[in-house]
Amino acid sequence: MENSSKEYQTIPADAPTTPHQILISNIIQKIENLPGVVNVSYMDYQPADQNDIQAWEKKYTCSMPEDLRSFYETSNGFALTWSILFDGHKQSLGRMEINSLINLKRLNDTRNVNGSIALDDLTCSDDESQYGTSRPQFDPSQSWIFELDNCNGYGKVCLVYKMEADSTSLISREIWFLDRSLGWHYLTDSFTKYFRLMIMHLGLPQWHYALTTIGLSPIAKQWFHMYAPIRLAVDTGKVDINKVMLQKDEPIRNKFDSKRLFTTKDDKPDKSIASDRRKPSSAKRSNSNLNKSTQSKGKQ
């Protein structure tokens, strides 16, 4: 069945709604109230067929986590994007996406061909992450890795099955972020928690890096300061999460001004600011007057 992208339309009050529809409605209403937002759209997916889910499990010989199964039984994927009016032009900014079932594929299911290097040949450091969990391995005898989201090319969100040593039994299923240098970063222990994280970060550019030791890029951090300042403070440990949970809505602290958002050293400053910079301070003026009087006395 084809999936069509369309702009969100409010669901009538008397129409039957599912928890999934209510969730979409709440997300979009929140984003639409953000400053500068001009378009919010989502991909309308139909539920995945039970036979397709069972075929996936049979193909990869593993059981799908219950929360992920429930998600696919409701919607065979998820895609929500939003844009802003930036300097007079519409610019895509937020993106939240979960692969459809057919695109939920194993990353480390490759084989060496003519001596070429495959993911199976790579060995990750087996030390623990900052959360005390062992890092995934590309070796399929230790981990099975499935791609949930390609993150527009700056990384991959993965469902990871870990196995016991010298055994084929799966011992855990976790969500990890794989950066472009093939470094692993633990996100959470369930798909449901990951979906909540994605929503709380509004799908802002490179938001996954806020949960890693690498951190956000300067540009991504600017977008967070504009649209999710409290979330950024929580991620960086500057705000107590328990206090934030008591607040219903996250206030927008900054007024959207695209002309002043990303200024560089080469940008010409505002005339009023430049004139203020040329004016010497009262302390400098007094010192200048004192030097002049001292010089005149010396001449006398």
Side-chain angles (χ1 to χ4, degrees), residues 11 28 36 39 41 51 131 156 229 249 288:
I11 301 172
I28 295 177
N39 182 56
S41 62
N51 293 329
Y131 296 97
K156 293 181 184 295
D249 297 310
S288 177

Side-chain angles (χ1 to χ4, degrees), residues 8 10 27-35 37 40:
Y8 170 77
T10 304
I27 296 170
I28 295 177
Q29 287 178 10
K30 178 178 177 62
I31 294 175
E32 284 180 332
N33 290 328
L34 298 176
V37 173
V40 181

Side-chain angles (χ1 to χ4, degrees), residues 181-194:
S181 66
L182 300 181
W184 286 107
H185 307 274
Y186 176 79
L187 294 180
T188 185
D189 60 358
S190 71
F191 171 77
T192 299
K193 292 180 181 178
Y194 169 74

Side-chain angles (χ1 to χ4, degrees), residues 48-188:
D49 190 272
Q50 284 285 351
N51 293 329
D52 293 336
I53 296 177
Q54 294 174 4
W56 184 92
E57 293 179 324
K58 183 177 180 180
K59 176 181 179 180
Y60 295 110
T61 63
C62 62
S63 177
M64 184 178 290
E66 286 300 321
D67 55 352
L68 185 57
R69 173 189 285 271
S70 298
F71 168 79
Y72 281 121
E73 289 174 348
T74 303
S75 176
N76 189 9
F78 180 81
L80 190 154
T81 60
W82 53 281
S83 305
I84 61 170
L85 192 62
F86 184 81
D87 200 18
H89 302 281
K90 188 170 76 171
Q91 174 179 322
S92 178
L93 186 63
R95 172 187 173 277
M96 310 179 208
E97 188 167 343
I98 301 295
N99 283 345
S100 60
L101 188 63
I102 194 173
N103 292 318
L104 186 63
K105 300 177 180 179
R106 273 184 63 182
L107 292 182
N108 58 338
D109 193 22
T110 57
R111 298 292 182 271
N112 292 5
V113 179
N114 297 327
S116 62
I117 297 177
L119 280 176
D120 297 1
D121 300 312
L122 302 178
T123 303
C124 302
S125 60
D126 55 1
D127 59 332
E128 294 183 346
S129 70
Q130 64 187 63
Y131 296 97
T133 56
S134 59
R135 301 182 190 278
Q137 298 294 325
F138 291 112
D139 183 352
S141 66
Q142 300 183 51
S143 304
W144 289 359
I145 304 166
F146 297 88
E147 181 185 309
L148 284 170
D149 180 16
N150 66 7
C151 303
N152 267 351
Y154 66 78
K156 293 181 184 295
V157 176
C158 301
L159 168 66
V160 177
Y161 290 76
K162 295 180 185 175
M163 303 179 186
E164 295 180 358
D166 302 324
S167 173
T168 58
S169 61
L170 305 173
I171 59 173
S172 63
R173 291 168 291 194
E174 301 166 339
I175 309 297
W176 288 73
F177 176 65
L178 180 66
D179 65 34
R180 295 186 64 179
S181 66
L182 300 181
W184 286 107
H185 307 274
Y186 176 79
L187 294 180
T188 185

